[in-house]
Amino acid sequence: MRTPRWIFWLFLCITTVALIPTAPTQAAPLALSIPVDVRAGDVQTDGTFVVWTQPAGPQWDAARHVYAADLSNGQPILVASNVLASDERGPNVALSNGVVIWQEAHAAGRSLRAKNLRTGQIFTIATGAIAYPAIAGSTITWWEDFWISDSETANKHANLKARDIATMSVPVTLAQTSKTVYGFGPSKMSSSWIAYAKAPSVAKYAPCWQLEAVSITGGTPYVIADLGCAPPKFDLIEGRLTYINRDGLLIADTLLGGGQKQSGPHGASSLTSDLRYSFWSKQRQISPSQYT
């Protein structure tokens, strides 16, 4: 039986259409692009504003300025000059709900300052031997008397302080913990918890870190995990604490007994998360002396 000619032509048309290459999908244009110095760091956003730091001079180690931009228009503004640069022990700049905080150094110690990016109001939160600030909403936390400089300071506790900038009430002590000669690391804060790194030991001249947490209402800090001797990597969103432990495993810990999930090992070099996802980067060796 002979195949009708129209069936042959229909088959040919369908085949031809299937073979026509489709146009490549193009990425959507960026909603916002802000030119910054190639040495910019400390980039953070709260969904409304973005802040970053960059050196004030041509040298990489020059004092840094803090800049901010409203994501609705992308216009950068200078927030503060000559701020303390961040390092592996933790950022000195943080942002929450339109308020940016930073640290400045002077002869008498350090100053912790804040600026409301909506109103322009600037606050001095604390001065003295302070470090490792964090912010969530209108509450700012920091460590005081955290370093051992002699036998007298070794016998004193490190103090975790907090202050509500909505009322500018007197700072309160949330928790106290013993010091170590190797010091503290970064602090992360949510509306209900504060997590921080503490170095109780050292290996091959590098501090070895443990992760601790305490309720925002105060109390006794408790140990969460051993982070190993690489720079500490963790993030805190509400009651969800995500971190890379000493074995390179990515752990998502719901505080107050909500259980753990783990993945890896990944050996991440950086980490960030929200309530649903975690993102990390890692180095890949492409030759004996090259990494990407």
Side-chain angles (χ1 to χ4, degrees):
M1 181 177 177
R2 216 173 149 187
T3 303
R5 182 173 295 179
W6 67 270
I7 293 179
F8 171 77
W9 284 112
L10 177 62
F11 172 78
L12 180 61
C13 289
I14 293 173
T15 304
T16 303
V17 170
L19 293 175
I20 294 176
T22 58
T25 302
Q26 294 186 352
L30 291 173
L32 181 67
S33 178
I34 304 173
V36 299
D37 192 291
V38 295
R39 299 165 297 167
D42 298 305
V43 181
Q44 300 181 49
T45 183
D46 61 1
T48 302
F49 297 93
V50 60
V51 300
W52 67 94
T53 65
Q54 61 188 50
Q59 295 81 19
W60 279 88
D61 58 351
R64 301 183 79 85
H65 294 339
V66 181
Y67 291 88
D70 189 323
L71 293 176
S72 65
N73 58 42
Q75 295 300 315
I77 61 169
L78 177 63
V79 175
S81 300
N82 300 319
V83 305
L84 282 174
S86 300
D87 56 30
E88 69 175 29
R89 286 183 176 266
N92 287 316
V93 176
L95 172 70
S96 176
N97 197 29
V99 176
V100 58
I101 62 174
W102 68 92
Q103 288 190 94
E104 299 172 2
H106 46 77
R110 296 181 177 184
S111 293
L112 174 58
R113 303 194 190 279
K115 181 173 183 176
N116 187 317
L117 296 175
R118 294 183 174 90
T119 67
Q121 187 176 8
I122 296 178
F123 310 86
T124 297
I125 308 304
T127 59
I130 58 177
Y132 315 119
I135 181 172
S138 64
T139 302
I140 296 174
T141 61
W142 67 94
W143 286 96
E144 283 191 5
D145 303 320
F146 61 94
W147 198 254
I148 296 176
S149 57
D150 51 36
S151 58
E152 181 180 354
T153 55
N155 294 323
K156 295 181 178 179
H157 284 98
N159 299 302
L160 179 62
K161 295 290 192 77
R163 191 171 194 179
D164 186 347
I165 60 171
T167 61
M168 285 302 289
S169 54
V170 175
V172 298
T173 299
L174 295 181
Q176 293 183 316
T177 183
S178 60
K179 300 176 186 178
T180 77
V181 294
Y182 310 112
F184 288 77
S187 292
K188 298 292 180 74
M189 183 180 174
S190 72
S191 60
S192 53
W193 291 92
I194 304 164
Y196 58 91
K198 181 178 177 181
S201 62
V202 66
K204 295 182 179 179
Y205 307 105
C208 298
W209 302 95
Q210 68 183 24
L211 183 60
E212 299 185 0
V214 65
S215 169
I216 193 64
T217 59
T220 302
Y222 63 95
V223 177
I224 301 292
D226 182 348
L227 301 182
C229 302
K233 295 168 283 291
F234 64 96
D235 202 5
L236 176 64
I237 304 295
E238 297 306 325
R240 185 174 186 263
L241 181 59
T242 308
Y243 56 91
I244 303 294
N245 72 6
R246 66 171 300 147
D247 298 318
L249 293 172
L250 172 65
I251 308 293
D253 189 333
T254 303
L255 298 172
L256 283 181
Q260 286 187 350
K261 294 181 180 179
Q262 69 179 40
S263 173
H266 298 295
S269 58
S270 62
L271 173 69
T272 189
S273 63
D274 63 12
L275 287 174
R276 186 175 180 185
Y277 296 103
S278 293
F279 303 89
W280 64 92
S281 61
K282 62 185 299 183
Q283 290 185 330
R284 179 172 61 92
Q285 189 171 11
I286 57 177
S287 72
S289 60
Q290 285 187 307
Y291 291 84
T292 183

